Amino acid sequence: MKSFFYKSIVIYFLIVLILALLSHYYIINFITANNQLSYSLFFCILLIICSPIVLITIIKLNNKKNNDSITNLKRINKELYESNERYDIVAKATSDTIWDWDIKTGGFIWNKGIQGIFGYKKEDVRENLQWWFEKIHPEDSLKMSVKLYSFIEQKTEKWQDYYRFMCADGTYKYVFDRGFLVMDDDRNVVRMIGAIQDITKQKEEEQRLKLLETVITQTKDTVIITEISDIEKELPKIVFVNPAFTKMTGFKSNEVIGKNANILMNKFSVRNDIKKLAEVLKKKEEFTFEALNKRKNNEQYWVNLTMIPITNKDNQHSHWISIQRDISVEKEREKEREHLISELTQNNKDLKQFSYITSHNLRAPLSNLTGLLNLVEDIPIENQELKEIISGFSKSTHQLNETINDLVNVIIIKDSPSIQKEGIVIKDVFENVFNQLSFLIGLKKPIIKMDLNKAQIVFLNKSYIESILLNLMSNSLRYCDPNKQLKISIASKKNGTETIITFKDNGIGIDLERNKDKVFGLYQRFHDYPDSKGLGLYLVKSQVESMGGTISIDSKVGVGTTFTITFKNNKDV
Amino acid sequence: MYNKILCVDDDPITLMLCKKVIEKSDFSKQIDTAHNGEDAIKYFDNLKNNLEKDKNIILPQLMFLDLNMPIMGGWEFLDIFSENKYHDFFPELKVIVLSSTIDPRDIEKSKSYSMVIDFLSKPITKEMLYSFSNNTQ
């Protein structure tokens, strides 16, 4: 501007000067002396007239030039603004964080992305190279910086790298950073400009997919994916099989991929199911079935097959996923188990029959013996020896009869899972028991303490509970300590949904350390008493359990024995 | 006291016992026996024939029946007896099952025959007969 001003002045001065000199020369050489003055005035006036014309022309020229440059400037400004705006919009649209690194000065400028994407406040961001490197994950920074500097060194045009960049909250985001170099005319690197893209989501998705993929490749289940064909009536094409497929069928993936699924099916020999299969395939619903298939080596195997229809984005059925499992072993086991169960059931049936017959065949002659002995009782016998013999014969017969009756009871209990129950007053049962044991009670004279007020009625089978209490009572009476006054305490109480009956004596007790597992066993005798058969507690336990109850024993040798019987109050049990 | 009863059992000792107990307890004047179901059917067939000739012959009023017997058991006898309308000829006849079976299902089954009035466990005793005659009288 200024130069133009001086230039204009000089041009004006020169033009005016030249005009003055020319007019002077003209006057001196061509004008006579007497006219010189008037010519001089004429030229003066001419000069004066010329001067503003020149000046105006110059100013006009200048104005035009100025106008041009302003328009130009405005245009440039506008372009610059638009470009800036574009840049901002692009950065926003791509969610890229742009950085500008002045390599010579080390200055480093970030765009707004550093705030928006990574959460930094404006004042947190230091505009130097070091800050950038500080925020790169320590595991990535070395590799990344080596790559970056070798890139600058080689002056290749484009650079890109993946690394983790720290956010304001200390977490890391996976980023993809792309940059290019800006060089001066001498090919010296002056700046580098880059764009950081947040790819955390893609990276996570990638890892998730990788994980999902390992499920498919590592699973023991066979996975087959087939693609629905556009052509009607054509069966789906196999697009994927996992390694388990090869293991199960013997077919390598390249032997089946791209092929029609029916090739597989024929080889799979699911011909029996093929009609059913075609029907359900048409329905496009998930379904499961079992089939007997063949491997590549023609070996047969049972497979459990689940077909799952997959839809695409437009909700159109596009693929089938088939998950298959070799269940030959399970099938075999199932067969074995069924066989075993039927065998056991038969055995059990036979044994039951056997026990009924045996007991019948034992009872028949025994009842004859008993009947005959009953007859003998009425006949007076003179011979003393014969009398003794008959008496021994009679005792043995009765003993045998009792044992067989007990065994018969056991058989009946074991065979009748549903027995009739009724509300029973415990006290009445005890009265009955005392009546039956009146002889023994008279002999041993026990002190009996009864506390049956807390739970007076139980819902049980009458003959069973009578038999249980009779057995326990007669045990207490039989196995009392001869050196002590026999004390028996009986109590009942309610505990939630249960009724508990305790039966305690101070008799000789049982050594539970030695006999823990045998106490309630069949034919277990713990004392050498003449009338002990070792059946009572077995019977008691069987009867308690057949009514849905439990029985436990606590006993110490020389101290006494306590039985605890627990029944459910519930009528239905 | 019954005039005539029939005891059916394959075991001669049981039959002997029955006879003796019945005699001793004055339960019946006459005791007939049969060794199995078929034998008993023959006995009734015979009676039927005689009945046609003489309507005044003495018929058995009560029958003790064992269940487990060879050739024809107690159940089969009861089935044939009720199916072939023997009952029309012997309307008075009642049956007591006298068995050493312990199968509870047998006791249940016996209740399905209308002529069976009781199910007793062997051996037969005088007390049994006394209480039976007391109940029926």
Side-chain angles (χ1 to χ4, degrees):
Chain A
M1 220 30 190
K2 265 187 177 170
S3 61
F4 182 77
F5 175 73
Y6 290 123
K7 223 158 81 185
S8 306
I9 299 254
V10 170
I11 289 166
Y12 173 72
F13 176 74
L14 284 174
I15 290 172
V16 176
L17 192 69
I18 288 163
L19 275 173
L21 286 173
L22 277 175
S23 47
H24 179 71
Y25 177 79
Y26 187 80
I27 290 166
I28 289 172
N29 291 328
F30 302 101
I31 308 300
T32 50
N34 49 353
N35 281 348
Q36 266 180 352
L37 216 60
S38 49
Y39 269 98
S40 170
L41 183 68
F42 169 75
F43 275 116
C44 266
I45 292 165
L46 192 76
L47 204 65
I48 288 164
I49 293 165
C50 270
S51 164
I53 292 170
V54 170
L55 207 62
I56 285 165
T57 315
I58 286 172
I59 286 170
K60 262 193 178 165
L61 268 171
N62 183 28
N63 262 358
K64 195 178 172 249
K65 203 168 185 183
N66 267 356
N67 269 346
D68 277 359
S69 84
I70 282 171
T71 327
N72 216 12
L73 214 63
K74 266 189 186 161
R75 193 177 48 86
I76 287 168
N77 249 347
K78 201 180 163 212
E79 271 174 13
L80 202 67
Y81 176 77
E82 278 175 354
S83 129
N84 245 343
E85 201 176 38
R86 230 179 352 253
Y87 154 76
D88 268 347
I89 289 169
V90 167
K92 221 182 234 175
T94 58
S95 323
D96 283 0
T97 304
I98 314 285
W99 50 266
D100 186 344
W101 173 24
D102 190 332
I103 293 174
K104 278 193 176 151
T105 63
F108 209 93
I109 297 164
W110 297 90
N111 83 333
K112 283 178 182 166
I114 196 73
Q115 298 163 37
I117 293 162
F118 298 100
Y120 288 103
K121 283 180 195 148
K122 205 174 177 184
E123 57 267 28
D124 294 340
V125 183
R126 277 183 284 123
E127 298 193 326
N128 57 39
L129 185 67
Q130 201 194 349
W131 190 83
W132 181 33
F133 279 138
E134 272 172 15
K135 299 298 170 196
I136 293 166
H137 195 284
E139 282 171 24
D140 299 336
S141 70
L142 186 71
K143 195 186 83 194
M144 180 267 184
S145 54
V146 165
K147 244 175 120 182
L148 180 67
Y149 277 106
S150 74
F151 158 75
I152 295 170
E153 207 57 38
Q154 288 161 7
K155 294 179 187 174
T156 32
E157 220 161 82
K158 276 182 189 168
W159 164 86
Q160 61 182 54
D161 206 353
Y162 295 93
Y163 57 87
R164 279 164 288 177
F165 193 80
M166 195 199 268
C167 300
D169 61 5
T171 59
Y172 283 93
K173 276 187 194 293
Y174 283 95
V175 297
F176 176 51
D177 200 348
R178 279 168 296 180
F180 62 91
L181 291 172
V182 180
M183 282 176 271
D184 62 11
D185 299 338
D186 303 331
R187 280 192 62 82
N188 289 321
V189 178
V190 277
R191 281 163 75 199
M192 183 169 176
I193 293 168
I196 296 177
Q197 202 183 344
D198 177 9
I199 53 157
T200 310
K201 270 194 186 140
Q202 290 98 303
K203 202 85 186 171
E204 278 172 357
E205 184 65 16
E206 199 177 290
Q207 280 173 346
R208 203 177 65 92
L209 284 176
K210 233 176 216 167
L211 211 66
L212 287 179
E213 201 186 309
T214 48
V215 172
I216 297 169
T217 52
Q218 296 300 312
T219 182
K220 300 273 185 287
D221 287 354
T222 294
V223 178
I224 302 169
I225 303 176
T226 53
E227 192 177 39
I228 298 280
S229 172
D230 294 333
I231 307 157
E232 211 155 308
K233 283 188 181 170
E234 202 180 89
L235 274 157
K237 262 185 192 143
I238 299 162
V239 292
F240 173 84
V241 292
N242 71 342
F245 169 85
T246 306
K247 217 173 165 190
M248 182 173 90
T249 61
F251 291 106
K252 295 211 171 79
S253 64
N254 56 17
E255 290 176 295
V256 290
I257 281 178
K259 301 232 168 104
N260 228 323
N262 64 345
I263 303 169
L264 213 66
M265 278 178 186
N266 287 336
K267 282 177 184 164
F268 275 0
S269 81
V270 286
R271 286 193 193 96
N272 293 340
D273 303 283
I274 220 157
K275 218 173 179 183
K276 207 173 86 194
L277 192 65
E279 248 168 63
V280 274
L281 273 173
K282 233 184 256 172
K283 281 189 197 159
K284 293 169 185 175
E285 282 169 4
E286 182 183 326
F287 63 96
T288 301
F289 65 99
E290 285 176 4
L292 187 64
N293 286 353
K294 257 186 194 170
R295 296 188 221 279
K296 198 182 178 184
N297 60 6
N298 275 339
E299 192 186 29
Q300 286 201 332
Y301 69 103
W302 275 98
V303 68
N304 178 293
L305 247 144
T306 301
M307 300 285 288
I308 305 157
I310 302 296
T311 51
N312 61 12
K313 266 189 280 175
D314 305 327
N315 223 14
Q316 275 172 331
H317 181 216
S318 63
H319 291 82
W320 283 102
I321 290 182
S322 173
I323 295 164
Q324 311 186 351
R325 199 157 45 88
D326 187 342
I327 50 162
S328 306
V329 179
E330 282 100 322
K331 275 270 171 190
E332 197 55 40
R333 256 189 228 143
E334 201 178 302
K335 232 177 172 174
E336 265 171 38
R337 202 170 49 228
E338 266 167 25
H339 182 69
L340 203 67
I341 287 171
S342 75
E343 214 168 66
L344 279 175
T345 313
Q346 190 54 44
N347 274 357
N348 201 29
K349 229 169 153 183
D350 291 350
L351 276 175
K352 224 184 251 169
Q353 196 61 27
F354 178 76
S355 69
Y356 276 128
I357 291 167
T358 312
S359 68
H360 175 265
N361 289 356
L362 282 172
R363 275 170 62 89
L366 188 62
S367 63
N368 280 346
L369 283 176
T370 317
L372 289 171
L373 280 167
N374 287 346
L375 287 178
V376 170
E377 268 171 30
D378 297 344
I379 302 165
I381 302 166
E382 301 294 327
N383 188 326
Q384 199 54 39
E385 202 180 0
L386 182 63
K387 209 172 178 180
E388 262 177 55
I389 290 166
I390 299 268
S391 149
F393 180 45
S394 164
K395 238 184 210 165
S396 295
T397 306
H398 282 115
Q399 224 171 345
L400 181 62
N401 196 33
E402 253 177 68
T403 305
I404 285 179
N405 278 343
D406 283 341
L407 284 174
V408 161
N409 278 336
V410 171
I411 292 167
I412 293 171
I413 289 163
K414 292 282 173 197
D415 195 35
S416 49
S418 56
I419 43 157
Q420 291 230 312
K421 293 181 185 177
E422 55 188 312
I424 291 155
V425 181
I426 304 174
K427 212 177 150 193
D428 293 353
V429 179
F430 271 109
E431 259 165 38
N432 232 329
V433 168
F434 294 154
N435 279 338
Q436 289 185 53
L437 292 171
S438 56
F439 175 73
L440 263 177
I441 289 173
L443 203 70
K444 308 270 177 161
K445 295 191 175 60
I447 299 172
I448 298 173
K449 203 179 119 196
M450 290 215 285
D451 176 17
L452 300 171
N453 289 329
K454 284 171 200 147
Q456 298 180 354
I457 296 171
V458 282
F459 201 82
L460 297 170
N461 179 284
K462 197 178 176 193
S463 63
Y464 280 11
I465 186 70
E466 201 174 293
S467 159
I468 291 164
L469 296 177
L470 183 76
N471 262 302
L472 293 182
M473 184 60 109
S474 75
N475 272 351
S476 285
L477 291 168
R478 271 187 213 159
Y479 307 114
C480 67
D481 192 332
N483 305 318
K484 269 195 278 186
Q485 163 69 53
L486 174 60
K487 283 183 196 163
I488 300 170
S489 41
I490 301 148
S492 66
K493 64 173 178 184
K494 281 209 162 103
N495 182 15
T497 58
E498 293 171 334
T499 301
I500 299 167
I501 300 170
T502 48
F503 199 101
K504 188 178 176 184
D505 68 34
N506 63 343
I508 52 177
I510 300 171
D511 187 351
L512 285 182
E513 290 280 310
R514 278 174 50 200
N515 302 311
K516 207 173 177 189
D517 306 326
K518 295 195 239 158
V519 175
F520 294 106
L522 190 58
Y523 291 117
Q524 297 296 332
R525 290 165 57 185
F526 306 100
H527 307 288
D528 189 20
Y529 276 47
D531 54 351
S532 148
K533 292 185 304 247
L535 201 70
L537 287 181
Y538 176 76
L539 207 61
V540 164
K541 189 173 200 274
S542 302
Q543 285 168 331
V544 168
E545 285 175 353
S546 77
M547 293 189 288
T550 56
I551 182 164
S552 65
I553 181 172
D554 186 23
S555 185
K556 251 186 196 152
V557 175
V559 178
T561 305
T562 306
F563 286 98
T564 308
I565 313 172
T566 310
F567 291 112
K568 286 256 183 317
N569 291 335
N570 197 336
K571 286 183 180 185
D572 310 320
V573 179
Chain B
M1 193 175 178
Y2 290 99
N3 287 320
K4 193 195 251 183
I5 63 173
L6 173 68
C7 294
V8 185
D9 204 303
D10 59 313
D11 184 354
I13 298 177
T14 307
L15 281 182
M16 181 262 277
L17 192 65
C18 274
K19 266 180 166 173
K20 290 227 182 277
V21 172
I22 290 166
E23 273 166 19
K24 291 213 172 208
S25 49
D26 292 329
F27 191 67
S28 174
K29 284 177 189 162
Q30 196 187 331
I31 305 156
D32 287 348
T33 58
H35 295 287
N36 55 53
E38 202 181 73
D39 212 12
I41 293 287
K42 275 182 194 157
Y43 170 87
F44 282 108
D45 284 339
N46 197 25
L47 265 186
K48 248 163 70 179
N49 288 332
N50 291 340
L51 197 62
E52 279 160 18
K53 292 172 201 158
D54 178 6
K55 287 198 173 169
N56 293 322
I57 59 163
I58 302 162
L59 296 176
Q61 296 154 290
L62 188 69
M63 172 178 178
F64 286 105
L65 179 68
D66 187 24
L67 289 178
N68 290 290
M69 291 178 288
I71 303 170
M72 188 192 287
W75 296 127
E76 207 183 333
F77 167 81
L78 285 171
D79 287 337
I80 290 172
F81 196 84
S82 34
E83 272 165 30
N84 296 326
K85 315 244 162 142
Y86 279 89
H87 225 257
D88 297 345
F89 297 93
F90 313 104
E92 303 280 302
L93 183 76
K94 300 284 176 216
V95 177
I96 292 176
V97 175
L98 183 68
S99 171
S100 46
T101 181
I102 45 133
D103 196 331
R105 283 168 296 188
D106 285 343
I107 298 169
E108 279 308 305
K109 196 176 172 184
S110 73
K111 289 176 184 163
S112 62
Y113 297 93
S114 61
M115 63 229 193
V116 175
I117 53 166
D118 213 343
F119 192 107
L120 296 177
S121 259
K122 283 180 184 175
I124 188 168
T125 60
K126 282 192 272 181
E127 289 77 17
M128 225 184 244
L129 297 180
Y130 288 148
S131 75
F132 183 77
S133 21
N134 283 341
N135 285 344
T136 45
Q137 269 162 20

